[in-house]
Short mmCIF file of all heavy atoms in Angstrom, two decimals:
data_model
loop_
_atom_site.label_atom_id
_atom_site.label_comp_id
_atom_site.label_asym_id
_atom_site.label_seq_id
_atom_site.Cartn_x
_atom_site.Cartn_y
_atom_site.Cartn_z
N MET A 4 -80.68 40.37 56.55
CA MET A 4 -81.86 40.75 55.87
C MET A 4 -81.80 42.12 55.19
O MET A 4 -82.25 42.24 54.03
CB MET A 4 -83.00 40.85 56.99
CG MET A 4 -84.37 41.23 56.37
SD MET A 4 -85.11 39.91 55.53
CE MET A 4 -86.75 40.40 55.44
N LEU A 5 -81.15 43.05 55.70
CA LEU A 5 -81.07 44.37 55.16
C LEU A 5 -80.22 44.44 53.83
O LEU A 5 -80.72 44.92 52.82
CB LEU A 5 -80.32 45.34 56.12
CG LEU A 5 -80.27 46.77 55.65
CD1 LEU A 5 -81.58 47.39 55.52
CD2 LEU A 5 -79.41 47.50 56.72
N ASN A 6 -79.14 43.65 53.72
CA ASN A 6 -78.43 43.54 52.54
C ASN A 6 -79.09 42.70 51.45
O ASN A 6 -78.93 43.12 50.37
CB ASN A 6 -77.02 42.65 52.88
CG ASN A 6 -76.09 43.54 53.61
OD1 ASN A 6 -76.02 44.80 53.45
ND2 ASN A 6 -75.17 43.00 54.33
N ARG A 7 -79.79 41.75 51.78
CA ARG A 7 -80.72 41.09 50.73
C ARG A 7 -81.70 41.93 50.21
O ARG A 7 -81.97 41.94 49.02
CB ARG A 7 -81.47 39.85 51.56
CG ARG A 7 -80.46 38.73 51.75
CD ARG A 7 -81.02 37.56 52.45
NE ARG A 7 -82.03 36.99 51.60
CZ ARG A 7 -83.01 36.13 51.95
NH1 ARG A 7 -83.11 35.73 53.19
NH2 ARG A 7 -83.75 35.51 51.07
N VAL A 8 -82.40 42.85 51.09
CA VAL A 8 -83.51 43.75 50.57
C VAL A 8 -82.81 44.86 49.59
O VAL A 8 -83.26 45.10 48.61
CB VAL A 8 -84.17 44.42 51.85
CG1 VAL A 8 -85.01 45.59 51.31
CG2 VAL A 8 -84.94 43.47 52.57
N ILE A 9 -81.61 45.21 50.07
CA ILE A 9 -80.92 46.36 49.18
C ILE A 9 -80.52 45.73 47.78
O ILE A 9 -80.77 46.36 46.85
CB ILE A 9 -79.65 46.85 49.97
CG1 ILE A 9 -80.17 47.68 51.16
CG2 ILE A 9 -78.75 47.75 48.96
CD1 ILE A 9 -78.97 48.22 52.13
N ARG A 10 -79.94 44.59 47.89
CA ARG A 10 -79.60 43.84 46.64
C ARG A 10 -80.91 43.61 45.78
O ARG A 10 -80.87 43.78 44.49
CB ARG A 10 -78.81 42.55 46.84
CG ARG A 10 -77.47 42.71 47.33
CD ARG A 10 -76.87 41.49 47.60
NE ARG A 10 -75.56 41.65 48.21
CZ ARG A 10 -75.11 40.95 49.14
NH1 ARG A 10 -75.64 39.94 49.66
NH2 ARG A 10 -73.88 41.20 49.72
N GLY A 11 -81.96 43.28 46.39
CA GLY A 11 -83.15 43.00 45.64
C GLY A 11 -83.71 44.19 45.03
O GLY A 11 -84.20 44.17 43.89
N ILE A 12 -83.67 45.30 45.82
CA ILE A 12 -84.18 46.65 45.31
C ILE A 12 -83.28 47.11 44.18
O ILE A 12 -83.85 47.48 43.01
CB ILE A 12 -84.24 47.69 46.33
CG1 ILE A 12 -85.32 47.35 47.32
CG2 ILE A 12 -84.54 49.10 45.74
CD1 ILE A 12 -85.39 48.29 48.63
N ALA A 13 -82.02 46.96 44.29
CA ALA A 13 -81.09 47.34 43.14
C ALA A 13 -81.38 46.51 42.01
O ALA A 13 -81.34 47.13 40.79
CB ALA A 13 -79.61 47.24 43.72
N GLY A 14 -81.33 45.25 42.08
CA GLY A 14 -81.68 44.36 40.95
C GLY A 14 -82.96 44.70 40.24
O GLY A 14 -83.11 44.77 39.05
N THR A 15 -84.00 44.94 41.01
CA THR A 15 -85.40 45.26 40.45
C THR A 15 -85.34 46.58 39.68
O THR A 15 -85.75 46.74 38.56
CB THR A 15 -86.37 45.40 41.63
OG1 THR A 15 -86.39 44.06 42.31
CG2 THR A 15 -87.69 45.71 41.12
N PHE A 16 -84.55 47.60 40.29
CA PHE A 16 -84.43 48.91 39.58
C PHE A 16 -83.69 48.80 38.28
O PHE A 16 -84.14 49.38 37.36
CB PHE A 16 -83.67 49.86 40.34
CG PHE A 16 -84.48 50.62 41.53
CD1 PHE A 16 -83.87 51.40 42.52
CD2 PHE A 16 -85.81 50.38 41.77
CE1 PHE A 16 -84.58 52.01 43.51
CE2 PHE A 16 -86.64 50.93 42.65
CZ PHE A 16 -85.94 51.78 43.60
N ILE A 17 -82.56 47.98 38.30
CA ILE A 17 -81.90 47.85 37.03
C ILE A 17 -82.75 47.06 35.99
O ILE A 17 -82.76 47.47 34.84
CB ILE A 17 -80.60 47.02 37.37
CG1 ILE A 17 -79.58 47.82 38.13
CG2 ILE A 17 -79.97 46.38 36.05
CD1 ILE A 17 -78.42 47.11 38.66
N LEU A 18 -83.39 46.07 36.38
CA LEU A 18 -84.27 45.31 35.43
C LEU A 18 -85.36 46.12 34.88
O LEU A 18 -85.72 46.11 33.68
CB LEU A 18 -84.80 44.03 36.06
CG LEU A 18 -83.81 42.95 36.29
CD1 LEU A 18 -84.40 41.70 37.07
CD2 LEU A 18 -83.14 42.45 35.09
N ILE A 19 -86.03 46.95 35.70
CA ILE A 19 -87.13 47.68 35.27
C ILE A 19 -86.63 48.95 34.44
O ILE A 19 -87.21 49.11 33.35
CB ILE A 19 -87.80 48.48 36.53
CG1 ILE A 19 -88.57 47.38 37.22
CG2 ILE A 19 -88.66 49.66 36.13
CD1 ILE A 19 -89.20 47.81 38.57
N SER A 20 -85.46 49.41 34.58
CA SER A 20 -84.87 50.49 33.82
C SER A 20 -84.44 50.00 32.51
O SER A 20 -84.66 50.53 31.33
CB SER A 20 -83.77 51.26 34.47
OG SER A 20 -82.69 50.40 34.70
N LEU A 21 -83.93 48.65 32.40
CA LEU A 21 -83.68 48.06 31.22
C LEU A 21 -84.86 47.87 30.23
O LEU A 21 -84.89 48.05 29.16
CB LEU A 21 -82.81 46.78 31.42
CG LEU A 21 -81.39 46.88 32.04
CD1 LEU A 21 -80.91 45.58 32.25
CD2 LEU A 21 -80.46 47.68 30.95
N LEU A 22 -85.96 47.34 31.07
CA LEU A 22 -87.18 47.19 30.19
C LEU A 22 -87.69 48.38 29.79
O LEU A 22 -88.23 48.50 28.49
CB LEU A 22 -88.21 46.34 31.14
CG LEU A 22 -87.94 44.90 31.50
CD1 LEU A 22 -89.04 44.41 32.39
CD2 LEU A 22 -88.08 44.10 30.14
N LEU A 23 -87.65 49.54 30.54
CA LEU A 23 -88.14 50.79 30.01
C LEU A 23 -87.19 51.39 28.94
O LEU A 23 -87.79 52.07 28.04
CB LEU A 23 -88.07 51.75 31.23
CG LEU A 23 -89.19 51.48 32.32
CD1 LEU A 23 -89.03 52.52 33.54
CD2 LEU A 23 -90.48 51.85 31.66
N ALA A 24 -85.86 51.02 28.93
CA ALA A 24 -85.12 51.52 27.91
C ALA A 24 -85.33 50.84 26.48
O ALA A 24 -85.40 51.45 25.53
CB ALA A 24 -83.57 51.26 28.33
N VAL A 25 -85.69 49.62 26.68
CA VAL A 25 -86.06 48.74 25.44
C VAL A 25 -87.39 49.20 24.91
O VAL A 25 -87.56 49.42 23.62
CB VAL A 25 -85.93 47.23 25.75
CG1 VAL A 25 -86.55 46.45 24.65
CG2 VAL A 25 -84.64 46.79 26.16
N TYR A 26 -88.44 49.30 25.80
CA TYR A 26 -89.81 49.63 25.30
C TYR A 26 -90.35 50.85 25.29
O TYR A 26 -91.34 51.15 24.66
CB TYR A 26 -90.75 48.70 26.12
CG TYR A 26 -90.39 47.07 25.84
CD1 TYR A 26 -89.96 46.34 26.79
CD2 TYR A 26 -90.82 46.57 24.62
CE1 TYR A 26 -89.70 45.00 26.57
CE2 TYR A 26 -90.51 45.25 24.38
CZ TYR A 26 -90.01 44.52 25.40
OH TYR A 26 -89.68 43.12 25.16
N VAL A 27 -89.62 51.86 26.06
CA VAL A 27 -90.18 53.22 26.15
C VAL A 27 -89.13 54.20 25.51
O VAL A 27 -89.45 54.90 24.52
CB VAL A 27 -90.51 53.59 27.68
CG1 VAL A 27 -91.00 55.00 27.67
CG2 VAL A 27 -91.49 52.66 28.10
N ASN A 28 -87.98 54.28 26.12
CA ASN A 28 -86.99 55.22 25.72
C ASN A 28 -85.59 54.93 26.08
O ASN A 28 -85.56 54.52 27.21
CB ASN A 28 -87.35 56.68 26.21
CG ASN A 28 -86.53 57.71 25.59
OD1 ASN A 28 -85.27 57.52 25.44
ND2 ASN A 28 -87.14 58.89 25.40
N ILE A 29 -84.61 54.98 25.31
CA ILE A 29 -83.29 54.54 25.52
C ILE A 29 -82.62 55.33 26.74
O ILE A 29 -81.74 54.88 27.33
CB ILE A 29 -82.45 54.70 24.38
CG1 ILE A 29 -81.15 53.98 24.41
CG2 ILE A 29 -82.13 56.25 23.93
CD1 ILE A 29 -81.21 52.50 24.34
N ASN A 30 -83.17 56.55 27.04
CA ASN A 30 -82.71 57.37 27.96
C ASN A 30 -82.87 56.84 29.45
O ASN A 30 -82.31 57.24 30.43
CB ASN A 30 -83.26 58.83 28.13
CG ASN A 30 -82.62 59.62 26.86
OD1 ASN A 30 -81.42 59.47 26.67
ND2 ASN A 30 -83.47 60.34 26.18
N TRP A 31 -83.77 55.72 29.60
CA TRP A 31 -83.88 55.09 30.83
C TRP A 31 -82.57 54.39 31.29
O TRP A 31 -82.44 54.06 32.40
CB TRP A 31 -85.06 54.03 30.79
CG TRP A 31 -86.28 54.74 31.03
CD1 TRP A 31 -87.28 54.97 30.07
CD2 TRP A 31 -86.87 55.34 32.23
NE1 TRP A 31 -88.41 55.76 30.64
CE2 TRP A 31 -88.14 55.88 31.94
CE3 TRP A 31 -86.44 55.24 33.62
CZ2 TRP A 31 -88.98 56.30 32.94
CZ3 TRP A 31 -87.20 55.86 34.47
CH2 TRP A 31 -88.50 56.30 34.20
N LEU A 32 -81.57 54.25 30.38
CA LEU A 32 -80.30 53.67 30.72
C LEU A 32 -79.54 54.55 31.77
O LEU A 32 -78.70 53.98 32.44
CB LEU A 32 -79.50 53.30 29.43
CG LEU A 32 -80.01 52.06 28.72
CD1 LEU A 32 -79.24 51.95 27.37
CD2 LEU A 32 -80.11 50.89 29.36
N TRP A 33 -79.95 55.74 31.63
CA TRP A 33 -79.25 56.67 32.65
C TRP A 33 -79.68 56.30 34.12
O TRP A 33 -78.80 56.41 35.03
CB TRP A 33 -79.68 58.22 32.46
CG TRP A 33 -78.95 58.72 31.13
CD1 TRP A 33 -79.51 58.97 29.99
CD2 TRP A 33 -77.60 59.00 31.07
NE1 TRP A 33 -78.65 59.37 29.13
CE2 TRP A 33 -77.30 59.40 29.65
CE3 TRP A 33 -76.47 59.09 32.00
CZ2 TRP A 33 -76.09 59.88 29.28
CZ3 TRP A 33 -75.19 59.38 31.43
CH2 TRP A 33 -75.08 59.77 30.12
N PHE A 34 -80.75 55.81 34.26
CA PHE A 34 -81.27 55.37 35.60
C PHE A 34 -80.44 54.14 36.08
O PHE A 34 -80.05 53.90 37.20
CB PHE A 34 -82.78 55.01 35.66
CG PHE A 34 -83.24 54.67 37.01
CD1 PHE A 34 -83.23 55.59 38.00
CD2 PHE A 34 -83.69 53.33 37.22
CE1 PHE A 34 -83.73 55.23 39.33
CE2 PHE A 34 -84.27 53.02 38.49
CZ PHE A 34 -84.24 53.92 39.52
N THR A 35 -80.22 53.23 35.12
CA THR A 35 -79.35 51.97 35.21
C THR A 35 -77.97 52.47 35.63
O THR A 35 -77.49 51.96 36.58
CB THR A 35 -79.24 51.21 33.91
OG1 THR A 35 -80.56 51.00 33.48
CG2 THR A 35 -78.64 49.83 34.22
N ALA A 36 -77.42 53.48 35.07
CA ALA A 36 -76.20 53.97 35.33
C ALA A 36 -76.18 54.50 36.74
O ALA A 36 -75.12 54.33 37.56
CB ALA A 36 -75.71 54.97 34.30
N PHE A 37 -77.17 55.31 37.10
CA PHE A 37 -77.37 55.91 38.40
C PHE A 37 -77.21 54.83 39.46
O PHE A 37 -76.61 54.94 40.63
CB PHE A 37 -78.62 56.72 38.47
CG PHE A 37 -78.90 57.21 39.83
CD1 PHE A 37 -78.26 58.29 40.32
CD2 PHE A 37 -79.93 56.66 40.61
CE1 PHE A 37 -78.51 58.82 41.65
CE2 PHE A 37 -80.20 57.24 41.92
CZ PHE A 37 -79.46 58.30 42.40
N VAL A 38 -77.97 53.71 39.29
CA VAL A 38 -78.01 52.64 40.26
C VAL A 38 -76.57 52.03 40.43
O VAL A 38 -76.12 51.84 41.54
CB VAL A 38 -79.06 51.59 39.91
CG1 VAL A 38 -78.93 50.41 40.84
CG2 VAL A 38 -80.42 52.18 39.93
N GLY A 39 -75.95 51.73 39.17
CA GLY A 39 -74.65 51.22 39.27
C GLY A 39 -73.62 52.13 40.02
O GLY A 39 -72.80 51.61 40.76
N VAL A 40 -73.70 53.43 39.66
CA VAL A 40 -72.74 54.37 40.44
C VAL A 40 -72.94 54.40 41.84
O VAL A 40 -72.06 54.42 42.68
CB VAL A 40 -72.90 55.82 39.86
CG1 VAL A 40 -72.32 56.84 40.69
CG2 VAL A 40 -72.46 55.79 38.42
N ASN A 41 -74.32 54.26 42.37
CA ASN A 41 -74.60 54.33 43.75
C ASN A 41 -74.07 53.03 44.36
O ASN A 41 -73.61 53.00 45.51
CB ASN A 41 -76.13 54.33 44.03
CG ASN A 41 -76.52 55.80 44.04
OD1 ASN A 41 -76.05 56.64 44.85
ND2 ASN A 41 -77.39 56.13 43.10
N LEU A 42 -74.16 51.77 43.72
CA LEU A 42 -73.54 50.62 44.22
C LEU A 42 -72.06 50.73 44.36
O LEU A 42 -71.51 50.30 45.44
CB LEU A 42 -74.08 49.41 43.31
CG LEU A 42 -75.48 48.99 43.39
CD1 LEU A 42 -75.63 48.03 42.23
CD2 LEU A 42 -75.74 48.38 44.60
N LEU A 43 -71.43 51.32 43.32
CA LEU A 43 -69.99 51.42 43.44
C LEU A 43 -69.52 52.35 44.55
O LEU A 43 -68.63 52.12 45.32
CB LEU A 43 -69.49 51.96 42.12
CG LEU A 43 -67.97 52.21 41.95
CD1 LEU A 43 -67.19 50.94 42.13
CD2 LEU A 43 -67.62 52.83 40.74
N GLN A 44 -70.28 53.46 44.72
CA GLN A 44 -70.05 54.47 45.68
C GLN A 44 -70.32 53.87 47.18
O GLN A 44 -69.42 54.13 48.03
CB GLN A 44 -71.02 55.68 45.50
CG GLN A 44 -70.95 56.68 46.81
CD GLN A 44 -71.97 56.45 47.72
OE1 GLN A 44 -73.07 55.78 47.43
NE2 GLN A 44 -71.47 56.71 49.02
N SER A 45 -71.30 52.96 47.36
CA SER A 45 -71.46 52.41 48.70
C SER A 45 -70.40 51.41 48.99
O SER A 45 -70.06 51.23 50.15
CB SER A 45 -72.81 51.86 48.75
OG SER A 45 -72.94 50.69 47.89
N SER A 46 -69.75 50.68 47.92
CA SER A 46 -68.85 49.73 48.20
C SER A 46 -67.58 50.48 48.59
O SER A 46 -66.71 49.83 49.44
CB SER A 46 -68.57 48.95 47.03
OG SER A 46 -67.90 49.69 45.90
N ILE A 47 -67.28 51.68 48.12
CA ILE A 47 -66.04 52.37 48.50
C ILE A 47 -66.15 53.09 49.91
O ILE A 47 -65.27 53.11 50.69
CB ILE A 47 -65.71 53.37 47.35
CG1 ILE A 47 -65.31 52.62 46.01
CG2 ILE A 47 -64.68 54.31 47.67
CD1 ILE A 47 -65.27 53.50 44.83
N THR A 48 -67.33 53.82 49.98
CA THR A 48 -67.42 54.55 51.17
C THR A 48 -68.09 53.81 52.33
O THR A 48 -68.12 54.42 53.46
CB THR A 48 -68.39 55.82 50.89
OG1 THR A 48 -69.63 55.41 50.58
CG2 THR A 48 -67.80 56.68 49.79
N ARG A 49 -68.77 52.70 52.20
CA ARG A 49 -69.46 51.91 53.20
C ARG A 49 -70.66 52.77 53.73
O ARG A 49 -71.09 52.47 54.82
CB ARG A 49 -68.55 51.51 54.28
CG ARG A 49 -67.43 50.49 53.74
CD ARG A 49 -66.57 50.14 54.94
NE ARG A 49 -65.54 49.17 54.48
CZ ARG A 49 -64.61 48.69 55.23
NH1 ARG A 49 -64.49 49.14 56.53
NH2 ARG A 49 -63.58 48.08 54.66
N TRP A 50 -71.22 53.61 52.88
CA TRP A 50 -72.46 54.29 53.20
C TRP A 50 -73.41 54.10 52.14
O TRP A 50 -73.11 54.41 50.95
CB TRP A 50 -72.19 55.79 53.41
CG TRP A 50 -73.54 56.56 53.72
CD1 TRP A 50 -74.11 56.59 54.94
CD2 TRP A 50 -74.22 57.31 52.83
NE1 TRP A 50 -75.31 57.35 54.76
CE2 TRP A 50 -75.38 57.83 53.45
CE3 TRP A 50 -73.98 57.58 51.58
CZ2 TRP A 50 -76.29 58.59 52.86
CZ3 TRP A 50 -75.03 58.47 50.78
CH2 TRP A 50 -76.10 58.91 51.60
N CYS A 51 -74.65 53.82 52.32
CA CYS A 51 -75.58 53.60 51.46
C CYS A 51 -77.01 54.38 51.80
O CYS A 51 -77.51 54.09 53.03
CB CYS A 51 -75.94 52.10 51.24
SG CYS A 51 -77.30 51.70 50.05
N LEU A 52 -77.54 55.17 51.03
CA LEU A 52 -78.72 55.95 51.26
C LEU A 52 -79.88 55.00 51.50
O LEU A 52 -80.66 55.15 52.43
CB LEU A 52 -79.05 56.95 50.33
CG LEU A 52 -80.32 57.84 50.46
CD1 LEU A 52 -80.29 58.54 51.77
CD2 LEU A 52 -80.58 58.73 49.38
N MET A 53 -79.83 54.01 50.65
CA MET A 53 -81.10 53.03 50.71
C MET A 53 -81.17 52.25 52.03
O MET A 53 -82.06 52.02 52.61
CB MET A 53 -80.98 52.03 49.58
CG MET A 53 -82.07 51.03 49.49
SD MET A 53 -83.76 51.73 49.47
CE MET A 53 -83.75 52.21 47.64
N GLU A 54 -79.91 52.07 52.60
CA GLU A 54 -79.74 51.36 53.85
C GLU A 54 -80.45 52.22 54.96
O GLU A 54 -81.05 51.74 55.80
CB GLU A 54 -78.25 51.08 54.19
CG GLU A 54 -78.05 50.37 55.39
CD GLU A 54 -76.62 49.99 55.79
OE1 GLU A 54 -75.73 49.89 54.69
OE2 GLU A 54 -76.22 49.89 56.88
N ASP A 55 -79.97 53.48 55.03
CA ASP A 55 -80.61 54.51 55.83
C ASP A 55 -82.13 54.54 55.79
O ASP A 55 -82.86 54.60 57.00
CB ASP A 55 -80.05 55.86 55.80
CG ASP A 55 -78.63 55.94 56.16
OD1 ASP A 55 -78.04 54.99 56.80
OD2 ASP A 55 -77.94 56.92 55.88
N ILE A 56 -82.67 54.66 54.61
CA ILE A 56 -84.09 54.65 54.28
C ILE A 56 -84.70 53.35 54.86
O ILE A 56 -85.75 53.57 55.56
CB ILE A 56 -84.45 54.80 52.83
CG1 ILE A 56 -83.90 56.27 52.42
CG2 ILE A 56 -85.89 54.61 52.63
CD1 ILE A 56 -83.89 56.41 50.98
N LEU A 57 -84.26 52.13 54.62
CA LEU A 57 -84.80 50.94 55.02
C LEU A 57 -84.77 50.71 56.55
O LEU A 57 -85.59 50.26 57.22
CB LEU A 57 -84.18 49.70 54.36
CG LEU A 57 -84.43 49.63 52.88
CD1 LEU A 57 -83.44 48.55 52.25
CD2 LEU A 57 -85.88 49.36 52.67
N LYS A 58 -83.63 51.29 57.27
CA LYS A 58 -83.63 51.25 58.69
C LYS A 58 -84.78 52.07 59.24
O LYS A 58 -85.35 51.65 60.40
CB LYS A 58 -82.15 51.76 59.12
CG LYS A 58 -81.22 50.68 58.98
CD LYS A 58 -79.84 51.27 59.46
CE LYS A 58 -78.74 50.11 59.27
NZ LYS A 58 -77.44 50.63 59.76
N LYS A 59 -85.07 53.19 58.65
CA LYS A 59 -86.17 54.09 59.26
C LYS A 59 -87.60 53.40 59.04
O LYS A 59 -88.43 53.62 59.79
CB LYS A 59 -86.16 55.41 58.50
CG LYS A 59 -85.15 56.17 58.82
CD LYS A 59 -85.15 57.64 58.23
CE LYS A 59 -83.85 58.44 58.56
NZ LYS A 59 -83.78 59.32 59.67
N PHE A 60 -87.57 52.50 58.01
CA PHE A 60 -88.84 51.67 57.95
C PHE A 60 -88.90 50.37 58.80
O PHE A 60 -89.81 49.69 58.81
CB PHE A 60 -89.00 51.25 56.45
CG PHE A 60 -89.57 52.34 55.54
CD1 PHE A 60 -88.83 53.01 54.66
CD2 PHE A 60 -91.02 52.70 55.77
CE1 PHE A 60 -89.24 53.93 53.91
CE2 PHE A 60 -91.49 53.70 54.79
CZ PHE A 60 -90.59 54.39 54.02
N GLY A 61 -87.79 50.19 59.56
CA GLY A 61 -87.72 49.07 60.46
C GLY A 61 -87.13 47.84 60.01
O GLY A 61 -87.21 46.85 60.77
N ILE A 62 -86.47 47.86 58.85
CA ILE A 62 -85.74 46.65 58.39
C ILE A 62 -84.43 46.40 59.16
O ILE A 62 -83.70 47.52 59.32
CB ILE A 62 -85.35 46.77 56.95
CG1 ILE A 62 -86.67 47.07 55.98
CG2 ILE A 62 -84.70 45.46 56.46
CD1 ILE A 62 -87.61 45.97 56.07
N LYS A 63 -84.29 45.27 59.79
CA LYS A 63 -83.17 45.10 60.68
C LYS A 63 -81.90 44.64 59.93
O LYS A 63 -82.02 43.83 58.94
CB LYS A 63 -83.55 44.07 61.78
CG LYS A 63 -84.69 44.40 62.55
CD LYS A 63 -84.34 45.42 63.61
CE LYS A 63 -85.52 45.77 64.55
NZ LYS A 63 -85.65 47.10 65.03
N ASP A 64 -80.78 45.02 60.42
CA ASP A 64 -79.35 44.44 59.93
C ASP A 64 -79.30 43.20 60.62
O ASP A 64 -79.24 43.09 61.83
CB ASP A 64 -78.33 45.54 60.12
CG ASP A 64 -77.00 45.11 59.45
OD1 ASP A 64 -77.07 44.20 58.64
OD2 ASP A 64 -76.03 45.86 59.68
N GLU A 65 -78.90 42.17 59.78
CA GLU A 65 -78.71 40.76 60.49
C GLU A 65 -77.54 40.79 61.41
O GLU A 65 -77.69 40.21 62.53
CB GLU A 65 -78.52 39.67 59.35
CG GLU A 65 -79.72 39.41 58.51
CD GLU A 65 -79.29 38.40 57.24
OE1 GLU A 65 -78.17 38.22 57.22
OE2 GLU A 65 -80.30 38.03 56.67
N LYS A 66 -76.37 41.47 61.17
CA LYS A 66 -75.29 41.46 61.98
C LYS A 66 -75.64 42.16 63.35
O LYS A 66 -75.26 41.59 64.34
CB LYS A 66 -74.12 42.12 61.33
CG LYS A 66 -73.52 41.33 60.19
CD LYS A 66 -72.44 41.99 59.49
CE LYS A 66 -71.98 41.40 58.23
NZ LYS A 66 -70.98 42.16 57.50
N ALA A 67 -76.18 43.23 63.18
CA ALA A 67 -76.56 44.01 64.53
C ALA A 67 -77.62 43.31 65.39
O ALA A 67 -77.45 43.19 66.55
CB ALA A 67 -77.00 45.33 64.18
N HIS A 68 -78.48 42.71 64.60
CA HIS A 68 -79.54 41.77 65.29
C HIS A 68 -78.94 40.68 65.96
O HIS A 68 -79.31 40.38 67.17
CB HIS A 68 -80.61 41.31 64.37
CG HIS A 68 -81.75 40.55 64.85
ND1 HIS A 68 -82.56 41.22 65.83
CD2 HIS A 68 -81.97 39.26 64.90
CE1 HIS A 68 -83.49 40.11 66.31
NE2 HIS A 68 -83.11 39.03 65.66
N ASN A 69 -77.95 39.94 65.39
CA ASN A 69 -77.36 38.78 65.88
C ASN A 69 -76.41 39.18 67.10
O ASN A 69 -76.28 38.34 68.01
CB ASN A 69 -76.57 38.10 64.84
CG ASN A 69 -77.50 37.25 63.91
OD1 ASN A 69 -78.64 37.07 64.19
ND2 ASN A 69 -77.07 37.11 62.60
N GLN A 70 -75.74 40.33 66.98
CA GLN A 70 -74.96 40.82 68.16
C GLN A 70 -75.63 41.08 69.37
O GLN A 70 -75.32 40.87 70.46
CB GLN A 70 -74.02 41.81 67.63
CG GLN A 70 -72.96 41.59 66.63
CD GLN A 70 -72.32 42.72 66.12
OE1 GLN A 70 -72.68 43.93 66.54
NE2 GLN A 70 -71.26 42.62 65.37
N LYS A 71 -76.91 41.58 69.15
CA LYS A 71 -77.72 42.03 70.27
C LYS A 71 -78.26 40.78 70.97
O LYS A 71 -78.39 40.60 72.17
CB LYS A 71 -78.90 42.89 69.90
CG LYS A 71 -78.42 44.32 69.60
CD LYS A 71 -79.64 45.05 69.11
CE LYS A 71 -79.13 46.53 68.63
NZ LYS A 71 -80.27 47.35 68.16
N SER A 72 -78.68 39.73 70.09
CA SER A 72 -79.30 38.57 70.80
C SER A 72 -78.23 37.46 71.28
O SER A 72 -78.52 36.60 71.79
CB SER A 72 -80.12 37.91 69.76
OG SER A 72 -79.41 37.53 68.55
N GLY A 73 -76.92 37.85 70.80
CA GLY A 73 -75.85 36.93 71.29
C GLY A 73 -75.61 35.57 70.35
O GLY A 73 -74.82 34.76 70.76
N SER A 74 -76.38 35.44 69.33
CA SER A 74 -76.22 34.35 68.44
C SER A 74 -75.07 34.40 67.58
O SER A 74 -74.86 35.63 67.16
CB SER A 74 -77.57 34.02 67.76
OG SER A 74 -77.89 35.05 67.04
N LYS A 75 -74.59 33.38 67.06
CA LYS A 75 -73.53 33.45 66.10
C LYS A 75 -74.00 32.81 64.75
O LYS A 75 -74.64 31.78 64.83
CB LYS A 75 -72.24 32.73 66.53
CG LYS A 75 -71.62 33.46 67.84
CD LYS A 75 -70.40 32.73 68.34
CE LYS A 75 -69.72 33.41 69.43
NZ LYS A 75 -68.51 32.63 69.81
N ILE A 76 -73.50 33.44 63.73
CA ILE A 76 -73.74 32.79 62.29
C ILE A 76 -72.52 32.59 61.67
O ILE A 76 -71.69 33.42 61.66
CB ILE A 76 -74.76 33.69 61.58
CG1 ILE A 76 -76.13 33.63 62.31
CG2 ILE A 76 -74.83 33.14 60.24
CD1 ILE A 76 -77.19 34.32 61.47
#
């Protein structure tokens, strides 16, 4: 669940920033680049700020949830 939410947020941010770049100002592409750099950084370091934020809001990680309940996927 957590990974799906993170991917959804990242995709939404990218699409919104692209629309803003087309209709408002080309400089919104810097926000697109920022999201891309954060995705790349999280793939290398295995740390994601958005993951920490979502966990504080109570979004559960599927792997951690399944290990606690003993079910296998």
Side-chain angles (χ1 to χ4, degrees):
M4 179 71 170
L5 185 63
N6 285 329
R7 291 178 63 195
V8 173
I9 291 171
R10 289 181 183 137
I12 290 170
T15 302
F16 281 173
I17 289 171
L18 291 175
I19 288 171
S20 67
L21 288 174
L22 287 172
L23 288 169
V25 170
Y26 294 109
V27 177
N28 188 324
I29 194 75
N30 286 321
W31 279 101
L32 290 177
W33 288 107
F34 185 68
T35 307
F37 173 75
V38 174
V40 167
N41 276 298
L42 288 168
L43 182 62
Q44 171 270 323
S45 69
S46 72
I47 294 169
T48 64
R49 296 183 182 171
W50 177 77
C51 177
L52 178 61
M53 182 59 73
E54 183 178 333
D55 291 347
I56 292 169
L57 291 173
K58 283 181 181 177
K59 289 188 190 260
F60 280 105
I62 306 289
K63 303 283 187 214
D64 189 8
E65 290 174 354
K66 291 178 186 174
H68 179 70
N69 290 335
Q70 288 174 352
K71 288 180 184 176
S72 65
S74 60
K75 294 182 181 179
I76 291 182

